[in-house]
Structures are given as structure tokens and as C-alpha cells.
Amino acid sequence: MNRPKILILGAGYGGLTTAVNLQKKIGSNVADITIINKNSYHYESTWLHEASAGTLSPEKVRYDIQSVLNNKVNFVQAAVESIDATNKKVITDAGEMSYDYLVVGLGFEGETFGIEGLDKFAFGISDVNEARKLRDHINSQFAEWASQAPAEKDDTLLTIVVGGAGFTGIEFLGELANRIPELCKEYDAPQEKVRVICVEAAPTVLPMFSRELVEYAVGYLTKKGIEFSIGTPVVQATPEGVKIKKGEEEFEFIKAGTVVWAAGVRGSRIVEESDIPSKRARVAVDKDLRVPGFPEVFIVGDCAFLMNEEAGRPYPTTAQIAMQQAITVAENLIALIEGKDTKEFVPALKGTVCSLGDSDAIGEVFGKEITGKPASFMKKVIDNRALYMVGGAGLVLKKGKFNVL
């Protein structure tokens, strides 16, 4: 009897955790397991804001995929080009691959909502290479300002506009607040010349948190010099800055040397362009995380849409949820191979923490609101736990965060 082929697309939180759990729980020679990823490394996407601001090395953010896999899982470095679920095959730039079971964990892409110029003139925070480019650009803007003659200095080079006051935007602002004084010292730039402006279309910051926690976060960042323009959507980006809408007929142009877009993500376009039914690249999966009409296909992470019926809204596309989904998918794959029933995905929501730099944060953990150093400590615990779930104590020791005070 031929062994079933399990194909995993993407080595993000969902895909890689699926592979690691399969290799832990499945017997030898039970299935042929292959994971495909365009890079040879996995990166902690929840740390990209640190690499983007320059407070953490991009090398610290990533680790080799094969370092956490054993001989039960085959790794193929290739870019997925298309999925043909009807014929159970995947097309990559390294060739065509067939499967008996498919796990789609292709992650997220930036979403510009069609706003003019954002795709050309704004930096994103969606992968290691973009983070490196953004860090280097900010450094180069300071260097250019420093090289100008005193009478000719263009202070707009030191203006940074961050579009989006959700999780990624606020965490990036927290890192910038710590990084700016270092840059000012390095390039002899007066700190009062630097402007960091957060522009948000929605009427509030961090809508997933309570008013008290939001006020703490905004107050903390404001004291660090961050400016907020809330309820003012970006309508255009140009090489000189951004245009924002301040009223029905009122607009303002903010000149800036750096524009960062952190206001939206979407699922992979590969999913959207496949024969798997989706909406904006998210697939409404069954409770066991399989695709309706394609019982051999599972979706994890950013491309999975599943309602939290108790809360009346979808489960968020967080690393915590993706890794818990992956554990369920691995168990369900083994169940299908053994001819047993699959089980529903029931997450254990432990809470959410948003960092405000290295030593401060806000969060809700086990129903309790926390701020300051306790929240920052919990954020590092969460980060280290994600490493442990994939690579055990060895990966935590190599990549973990231990500066908790």
C-alpha cells in the first residue's frame, strides 16, 4: 500500500507547527510529509516591527527551517505558484507536486486598499527583507540629513509617517520611540527635529483593547514624542509624503522622508486565485479546519476564516491562533490516515499583549488587564513559548528573549 502524501505549503507559524507536530506524533513510514517554503528560513513575523525599527537584528528574527525538522519531514525550498485542489496538485517554480492531503499555511500579504501610491512609496512590514530595507532607509535619511550643510538641512528627512494604529503599527511606534534617541546621538540630530506621526483612519487606536489600556498606550507613546492623527485616513502617498483626509472637504499633506504602511493585511493571493472558495483570500473552513467540498485540504493561519460563535466574530489571525490550529490539523491528519473521526478546533485563548518598546506593554492575559513591565515580561514569555513549541528548549536558548527587566 502506498503511503499517503501530505503536502504543507508555507513555513510560517501555522505550516511549520503542523510539520513539527506531525513528526512528533506520526509513526515512521506512515506518510510522506513535505513542507514547501520559498525561503530556507522561518521568520518570527511578530518580531518584524523590531527589525524594521533597527532595535533587533534581522538575523535574530529568523532561523533555518531544517534545524527544527527530522527525517520524517522533507523540506523543499520553492515558491508556490498555484494550487489545483480539484486535481490534487500544486505548481511551484521547482515543478509540480501531487498530494493526498494538503495543508495551506501561506500566510499574509500587505493590503493597501487601493490607496494611490502606497504600493510604490510606502514601506511595509511583512517579511525580513522588507524589515531590513525599512531599517536601512531610516538610517540613510538620518545620514543624508547629517551630510547637508547647516543652512540647507531638510528636516522633512527626519519625519516618519506610520499609517495604521493597530497591533503592528503601535508595536513599531514603540520600537521607534526607543530607536530615535539612538539615531539622534549617532547622527548629531536634535531630537526636536524628528517627527513620528501615526495616521489612522478608524476613530480609535487598538480597537481590540479596552479604553483604559488604549489611553495608557497612547499616553506612553505621546510622552516619547509620537504624534497621533486619528480618524484621518491616508488618501494618497507620493515620493514627498502622504495626503490625509481631515474632514469632508479638508485635506492635509504631510511631508515625510519615510512612509510606513502598517494598516492592513490579507491572505495569500495564491489562495484567492485557486479553485478553493475564498473571500479576500480567506477561506471559510469547517470546524475541523477542512475546506468545504475539499475534505483533504486544511487551511491554517492568515488564510483561515472561522467564527468564534461565542464572541460573534472570527478568530483573529494571530500567531497564537495559527499555532493552535496547526496542532489540531496535525492530529486530524493522523486521524484521517488511521480512518478515525476528525475533531473540532477549540482554541485556548490565553490573552493578547501589545508591546510599546522593549520594556513596556499593554495586555489582557487570562482576563486580567496588565501594563508596564509585567506586560512586557508576559510579551517575552509569549514570544519564547512560540519558539519552544516549534524547536524546544534549544531554539529558545538560541533565539529567545531574556532581557525581561
Side-chain angles (χ1 to χ4, degrees), residues 368-384:
K368 182 180 179 180
E369 293 187 348
I370 55 176
T371 60
K373 290 188 182 299
S376 181
F377 172 80
M378 186 55 64
K379 177 71 172 179
K380 293 176 175 64
V381 169
I382 292 169
D383 288 344
N384 288 343

Side-chain angles (χ1 to χ4, degrees), residues 142 145-146 153 158 182-191:
F142 273 80
W145 182 92
K153 287 192 182 297
L158 306 183
E182 297 174 353
L183 288 169
C184 288
K185 184 176 180 180
E186 181 177 352
Y187 293 101
D188 298 315
Q191 197 160 336

Side-chain angles (χ1 to χ4, degrees), residues 16-124:
L16 191 56
T17 305
T18 300
V20 168
N21 276 268
L22 279 173
Q23 70 184 15
K24 287 178 182 177
K25 298 174 181 179
I26 203 166
S28 298
N29 301 316
V30 171
D32 290 328
I33 307 167
T34 300
I35 184 168
I36 302 175
N37 197 66
K38 65 180 180 179
N39 300 312
S40 63
Y41 55 83
H42 162 93
Y43 57 85
E44 298 289 292
S45 60
T46 58
W47 300 9
L48 289 176
H49 61 283
E50 297 171 78
S52 298
T55 55
L56 187 68
S57 165
E59 291 305 311
K60 185 75 173 179
V61 171
R62 69 184 198 177
Y63 56 84
D64 287 343
I65 293 167
Q66 288 183 306
S67 69
V68 297
L69 299 178
N70 63 25
N71 57 11
K72 294 180 184 177
V73 179
N74 177 43
F75 169 62
V76 173
Q77 185 176 347
V80 176
E81 296 178 342
S82 64
I83 300 169
D84 181 355
T86 300
N87 295 301
K88 297 185 180 180
K89 62 183 181 181
V90 170
I91 310 301
T92 78
D93 61 2
E96 180 180 306
M97 302 187 72
S98 62
Y99 62 83
D100 296 298
Y101 299 104
L102 180 68
V103 180
V104 181
L106 288 172
F108 67 89
E109 299 175 3
E111 174 63 273
T112 61
F113 305 106
I115 298 171
E116 181 184 350
L118 276 181
D119 57 338
K120 296 179 181 178
F121 306 118
F123 290 87

Side-chain angles (χ1 to χ4, degrees), residues 112-272:
T112 61
F113 305 106
I115 298 171
E116 181 184 350
L118 276 181
D119 57 338
K120 296 179 181 178
F121 306 118
F123 290 87
I125 307 178
S126 61
D127 61 38
V128 172
N129 291 327
E130 283 197 342
R132 188 184 290 110
K133 284 168 57 179
L134 175 52
R135 177 203 63 182
D136 291 348
H137 174 79
I138 292 172
N139 287 347
S140 72
Q141 295 298 90
F142 273 80
E144 176 63 21
W145 182 92
S147 70
Q148 294 174 340
E152 299 175 356
K153 287 192 182 297
D154 179 5
D155 293 342
T156 62
L157 293 170
L158 306 183
T159 297
I160 302 170
V161 173
V162 179
F167 225 91
T168 301
I170 293 299
E171 291 201 317
F172 178 61
L173 289 167
E175 297 301 320
L176 273 184
N178 289 342
R179 179 63 177 148
I180 293 300
E182 297 174 353
L183 288 169
C184 288
K185 184 176 180 180
E186 181 177 352
Y187 293 101
D188 298 315
Q191 197 160 336
E192 61 268 20
K193 297 282 188 181
V194 181
R195 292 186 71 194
V196 180
I197 308 161
C198 177
V199 179
E200 170 57 57
T204 185
V205 170
L206 294 172
M208 69 288 294
F209 288 112
S210 70
R211 180 174 58 84
E212 291 76 15
L213 289 179
V214 170
E215 288 177 352
Y216 179 96
V218 172
Y220 176 85
L221 292 174
T222 300
K223 288 178 183 177
K224 291 269 192 173
I226 308 298
E227 302 174 38
F228 287 90
S229 180
I230 306 303
T232 56
V234 173
V235 295
Q236 183 187 30
T238 76
E240 289 76 39
V242 295
K243 184 179 182 181
I244 63 173
K245 187 176 182 180
K246 303 198 75 172
E248 281 299 317
E249 301 295 333
E250 184 182 356
F251 297 88
E252 177 186 347
F253 190 84
I254 304 174
K255 290 186 176 182
T258 306
V259 176
V260 183
W261 186 245
V265 296
R266 51 171 286 135
S268 169
R269 294 182 189 275
I270 294 168
V271 172
E272 188 173 48

Side-chain angles (χ1 to χ4, degrees), residues 316-339:
T317 54
T318 62
Q320 177 187 172
I321 291 292
M323 296 179 85
Q324 291 185 24
Q325 288 175 338
I327 293 170
T328 298
V329 166
E331 292 174 350
N332 282 344
L333 283 166
I334 295 170
L336 290 175
I337 291 170
E338 296 176 348

